[in-house]
Amino acid sequence: MGLYQRWRRLRLAGLQACALHTAAVSTPPQWLVERLGLFEELWAAHVKRLKSMAQKEHRTIKITLPGGQKVEAVAWNTTPYQLAKQISSTLADTAVAAQVNGETYDLERPLETDSDLRFLTFDSTEGKAVFWHSSTHVLGAAAEQLLGAVLCRGPSTECGFYHDFFLGKERTLRGSELPVLERICQELTAAAQPFRRLEVSQDQLRQLFKDNPFKLRLIEEKVTGPTATVYGCGMLVDLCRGPHLRHTGQIGGLKLLTNSSSVWRSPGAPETVQRVSGISFPTAKELKAWEEWREEAELRDHRRIGKEQELFFFHELSPGSCFFLPRGTRVYNALVTFIRAEYTRRGFSEVKTPTLFSTKLWKVSGHWEHYQEDMFALQPPGPQRDHPTSHPTDTLALKPMNCPAHCLMFAHRPRSWRELPLRLADFGVLHRAEASGSLGGLTRLRCFQQDDAHIFCAPDQLEAEIRGCLDFLRSVYAVLGFSFRLALSTRPSGFLGEPCLWDQAEQVLQRALEEFGEPWDLNPGDGAFYGPKIDVRLHDALGRPHQCGTIQLDFQLPLRFDLQYKGQAGALERPVLIHRAVLGSVERMLGVLAESCGGKWPLWLSPFQVVVIPVGPEQEAYAREAQQGLRAAGLVCDLDADSTLTLSRRVRRAQLANYNFQFVVGQREQSKKTVNIRTRDNRRLGERDLTEAVRRLLELQNSRVPDAEEIF
């Protein structure tokens, strides 16, 4: 089918299906015709060049397959896909990409030299990344064809993919348009259009994307070498490193999920762009299973639980900030108390630092240069209001992180080696200027607190401190019921400092990880510009990953703030700085926990620990006495003396509200000073002495067990 026929069929079908009030353009725009024409011209030259290369350098190469088997192949001719077919048809059908000597590789890209070859399927993390990245190209093609969108960026994520695109300053994407956009995506996948990889020069890149200012900006910022790769797929041509699927037909199920606004950061004024997110799978059956899983996840949505349990709410008069109600504050404080207890046990000192700083501080730390757009800045009142010729006052900014303030605290007086390691912890309120379109419940806020701590240590203390940070993580996540996965992120291309120092630090982190004994991955080039780091991804009860904790080394802040201490030999030495957090944002962790437990909070966190239920009005006084005793002991206790409901109805109401325990008191319990105990899962624990029951609850709360109802 020709270009014009494809464009007309897809665009007109989409417009009719959603009754869009958009003029039906029966021919593709000129920029798309020119772009595709240039790509086809370059592709023809590429095919000719590849054929010539295969003839000139015709030679046998050795390929090591998974399992160690060695086979022969022909350089510039044999592809990974051809070798997968030789192994099994199942592998050829399920492979999404290859790894050739450790580099991810398109299945249809010819091998060039002796190689170690392994295949990636959707079951692997790397395979999912390739699959979802290919899916976002399908979404980009659909957005171009239906909406005339100017494409910005379209990455894969941990849980799917999204694409940002520009529709003009006045145009936004409506929710009613998503089903039609999804339908066009499905037509594109059904067409099994091949992904074609093409290496082009910078001049050719600029010619291909001369009508897309967003791509031109990316080319200027990201393309540092003489060439880069683009991928063609149907009518789409996009700047991309790849790799990709062989063809769109490998996407058996695709669903678009949300649309929102986002902000494209640029040296000029930021542009508002439209973001559409989605999910895809190799088969429709897998998509259906995911949709069922998602229904369960929606029932556990922390925003729904927060509303039903009256934990917190949001208000338009303070966007991006959370109002914690008494019950939510109980959960919040229990988390903070837990971390404070660990701080005491592990030798951390809690400090408090200001919220508002002169931008001079952020210029010293480097945050003003790299992070200014994400900070709230303000001009304080000053003498220039009444005297315009007076010297202007400093611009102030709300702190988005605590580390520069902790550096000031370290530097405020001379330090000795005897004070190290110095571990400073801070629950100070942080503010970050998140785009309105990225805000979502407790997971992304403009105002939040972290269990933020910084360790200033001598270089020879570094390894022991990293081991301590890892043990801190494991201890806390074990109590919270999370499994986790670690990743070592090493030196990025734009790193600061000496390579030898980076090498030494990465070796320290690697030794600590190996001694720690938990599985970990290597993320080459994904470290921060100021030092390598250990990323921590925890997994909740539904198996969803969350980036919460982190351990980061920093060589730059001690240099920028000229931090020094007097060493054992009397000379001044430079400390090493470790940034670390376990919960990360306390607000976000509360949301993760709410969804993981589905609102059935463990006793030590629960805002619904006990409800006392009198059988009749005659027992209400004793019920209040029991309630007061539980509260005096530091437990959360409510009373349900609603005489309009039967006892069984009140017990059931308490269980549906997820009270960990119900203490039922009748005439017998009143006379003996006992309580009859039931759990939220309707386990009947029988009659217990009230004083003994309170003692046992305190014991279970203080030990922070996950199953108090089972082991009471």
Side-chain angles (χ1 to χ4, degrees):
M1 186 182 294
L3 171 62
Y4 290 93
Q5 289 83 359
R6 281 183 286 169
W7 174 270
R8 184 177 179 85
R9 182 174 66 84
L10 284 170
R11 184 172 174 86
L12 292 182
L15 292 170
Q16 292 163 2
C18 63
L20 291 177
H21 301 295
T22 307
V25 180
S26 58
T27 59
Q30 186 61 30
W31 61 263
L32 188 144
V33 175
E34 291 180 2
R35 186 188 68 186
L36 187 59
L38 177 56
F39 178 85
E40 294 295 353
E41 180 184 322
L42 295 172
W43 179 257
H46 165 75
V47 171
K48 185 176 180 180
R49 187 166 56 252
L50 191 63
K51 184 176 180 181
S52 174
M53 185 73 71
Q55 292 173 345
K56 286 182 181 178
E57 298 196 22
H58 183 84
R59 68 183 190 280
T60 300
I61 55 177
K62 302 290 186 182
I63 308 299
T64 303
L65 300 175
Q69 180 186 359
K70 295 183 183 296
V71 297
E72 292 186 345
V74 179
W76 299 98
N77 191 308
T78 305
T79 66
Y81 178 65
Q82 291 170 343
L83 294 175
K85 285 199 296 184
Q86 291 178 20
I87 296 172
S88 76
S89 58
T90 300
L91 177 61
D93 290 340
T94 58
V96 298
Q99 275 196 340
V100 178
N101 295 330
E103 175 191 355
T104 50
Y105 214 82
D106 296 276
L107 287 170
E108 296 283 18
R109 180 180 169 188
L111 298 165
E112 300 170 14
T113 187
D114 294 348
S115 306
D116 287 324
L117 176 66
R118 78 180 185 96
F119 295 96
L120 302 178
T121 66
F122 185 78
D123 294 332
S124 68
T125 301
E126 303 98 321
K128 284 183 173 67
V130 171
F131 194 92
W132 286 333
H133 193 189
S134 299
S135 300
T136 201
H137 277 242
V138 172
L139 171 56
E144 279 190 342
Q145 294 172 30
L146 176 66
L147 306 168
V150 179
L151 303 186
C152 300
R153 57 185 165 227
S156 63
T157 67
E158 292 179 349
C159 304
F161 58 90
Y162 70 83
H163 215 305
D164 288 346
F165 46 82
F166 185 66
L167 297 178
K169 294 185 180 296
E170 305 299 326
R171 171 84 159 91
T172 59
L173 183 70
R174 301 193 300 270
S176 60
E177 295 172 279
L178 274 188
V180 187
L181 198 58
E182 180 180 302
R183 186 176 304 176
I184 292 183
C185 288
Q186 291 166 350
E187 288 194 30
L188 293 172
T189 60
Q193 296 173 338
F195 284 93
R196 296 183 288 170
R197 179 183 184 273
L198 181 63
E199 191 170 319
V200 297
S201 69
Q202 284 209 27
D203 287 342
Q204 291 166 337
L205 270 182
R206 291 188 177 90
Q207 187 64 25
L208 280 166
F209 300 107
K210 62 185 176 67
D211 297 299
N212 187 327
F214 301 97
K215 296 297 181 185
L216 291 175
R217 184 66 192 171
L218 284 177
I219 292 167
E220 182 181 338
E221 292 177 351
K222 304 293 186 182
V223 180
T224 56
T227 63
T229 53
V230 297
Y231 278 79
C233 184
M235 287 183 278
L236 177 75
V237 179
D238 207 353
L239 173 68
C240 185
R241 286 182 296 185
H244 284 290
L245 301 174
R246 291 189 301 114
H247 57 77
T248 60
Q250 291 182 266
I251 303 170
L254 183 148
K255 185 174 184 63
L256 300 184
L257 304 175
T258 62
N259 64 289
S260 62
S261 295
S262 186
V263 176
W264 175 274
R265 302 291 189 186
S266 64
E271 289 282 8
T272 298
V273 297
Q274 304 302 301
R275 173 171 295 181
V276 174
S277 67
I279 190 75
S280 60
F281 293 91
T283 65
K285 182 179 179 181
E286 289 170 289
L287 176 60
K288 181 173 174 50
W290 178 87
E291 289 176 321
E292 292 171 354
W293 171 88
R294 188 184 183 217
E295 288 177 9
E296 169 66 17
E298 287 176 348
L299 291 175
R300 292 170 174 250
D301 189 299
H302 72 274
R303 289 163 292 193
R304 173 180 166 275
I305 292 170
K307 182 178 181 180
E308 290 179 353
Q309 296 189 345
E310 293 191 16
L311 304 178
F312 54 82
F313 70 93
F314 297 91
H315 198 283
E316 62 182 7
L317 295 181
S318 185
S321 300
C322 184
F323 292 76
F324 279 97
L325 296 164
R327 287 173 176 164
T329 303
R330 146 72 191 168
V331 182
Y332 195 104
N333 288 343
L335 280 171
V336 172
T337 299
F338 175 33
I339 297 299
R340 281 192 169 125
E342 288 293 315
Y343 281 158
T344 300
R345 188 166 73 85
R346 296 171 183 273
F348 286 77
S349 300
E350 188 174 345
V351 298
K352 291 185 181 296
T353 52
T355 300
L356 201 58
F357 289 90
S358 164
T359 53
K360 291 177 181 177
L361 174 75
W362 308 110
K363 290 175 183 176
V364 172
S365 69
H367 290 99
W368 195 247
E369 178 185 355
H370 295 283
Y371 209 77
Q372 178 181 353
E373 292 177 341
D374 298 303
M375 297 172 66
F376 288 104
L378 64 151
Q379 192 71 37
Q384 67 270 26
R385 283 190 175 181
D386 302 316
H387 305 283
T389 58
S390 300
H391 184 72
T393 56
D394 291 336
T395 301
L396 301 177
L398 296 170
K399 66 178 179 182
M401 61 275 296
N402 290 305
C403 39
H406 290 181
C407 288
L408 293 181
M409 194 166 278
F410 183 93
H412 92 283
R413 66 167 176 80
R415 298 286 180 179
S416 164
W417 64 273
R418 298 180 186 278
E419 298 178 74
L420 304 185
L422 181 64
R423 308 181 187 99
L424 302 180
D426 198 332
F427 287 101
V429 177
L430 307 177
H431 292 83
R432 296 181 184 174
E434 303 286 359
S436 59
S438 67
L439 300 175
L442 296 175
T443 58
R444 199 73 172 262
L445 295 169
R446 289 173 174 164
C447 174
F448 60 96
Q449 292 174 249
Q450 289 184 323
D451 64 329
D452 198 12
H454 297 91
I455 302 171
F456 300 87
C457 65
D460 61 357
Q461 297 171 328
L462 186 58
E463 194 164 339
E465 289 304 305
I466 295 297
R467 287 199 300 268
C469 291
L470 289 168
D471 182 70
F472 200 154
L473 282 166
R474 178 157 54 191
S475 297
V476 170
Y477 289 169
V479 171
L480 297 178
F482 295 133
S483 61
F484 61 94
R485 184 88 182 187
L486 303 170
L488 173 58
S489 297
T490 59
R491 182 168 66 230
S493 57
F495 72 96
L496 298 179
E498 297 297 325
C500 60
L501 194 59
W502 277 82
D503 292 340
Q504 181 183 354
E506 289 170 4
Q507 290 168 12
V508 167
L509 293 182
Q510 182 169 339
R511 284 198 301 271
L513 285 169
E514 289 170 349
E515 291 179 19
F516 188 52
E518 298 287 346
W520 59 279
D521 302 310
L522 183 64
N523 286 342
D526 203 34
F529 68 91
Y530 50 76
K533 60 179 180 174
I534 297 174
D535 289 319
V536 188
R537 298 181 186 218
L538 61 84
H539 292 84
D540 65 16
L542 294 178
R544 297 173 299 184
H546 301 275
Q547 178 75 53
C548 294
T550 189
I551 302 169
Q552 302 180 7
L553 298 191
D554 191 338
F555 310 126
Q556 297 306 310
L557 282 187
L559 285 169
R560 285 177 172 268
F561 284 90
D562 194 26
L563 302 183
Q564 296 178 323
Y565 66 92
K566 185 176 286 188
Q568 295 188 50
L572 291 177
E573 300 180 23
R574 184 95 52 203
V576 179
L577 176 59
I578 304 172
H579 306 253
R580 50 103 281 159
V582 178
L583 302 181
S585 160
V586 181
E587 288 83 353
R588 184 181 185 201
M589 178 58 76
L590 193 152
V592 171
L593 282 165
E595 295 185 1
S596 189
C597 70
K600 289 188 172 184
W601 299 95
L603 180 72
W604 68 277
L605 280 174
S606 179
F608 304 96
Q609 289 182 323
V610 183
V611 60
V612 181
I613 306 175
V615 173
E618 300 81 5
Q619 288 79 46
E620 186 173 337
Y622 174 60
R624 292 189 182 279
E625 179 186 334
Q627 179 192 25
Q628 290 169 5
L630 285 156
R631 286 181 170 178
L635 294 161
V636 180
C637 182
D638 294 321
L639 175 72
D640 188 350
D642 186 354
S643 59
T644 64
L645 294 178
T646 64
L647 174 64
S648 60
R649 289 280 299 276
R650 282 179 284 155
V651 168
R652 182 59 180 155
R653 180 163 69 178
Q655 291 170 346
L656 291 174
N658 286 318
Y659 280 94
N660 301 75
F661 295 94
Q662 302 101 50
F663 284 9
V664 178
V665 293
Q667 184 176 356
R668 173 186 171 90
E669 289 79 17
Q670 182 177 8
S671 64
K672 297 176 64 178
K673 299 294 182 182
T674 60
V675 290
N676 205 297
I677 303 176
R678 303 186 189 195
T679 72
R680 62 186 169 202
D681 297 320
N682 204 30
R683 292 183 67 241
R684 302 190 181 205
L685 304 180
E687 189 177 354
R688 304 290 178 95
D689 177 78
L690 176 59
T691 302
E692 179 60 26
V694 172
R695 185 199 65 78
R696 180 57 174 158
L697 284 175
L698 287 174
E699 186 179 86
L700 293 169
Q701 175 181 257
N702 295 337
S703 59
R704 299 188 176 90
V705 295
D707 55 350
E709 301 79 19
E710 300 294 322
I711 64 176
F712 183 88

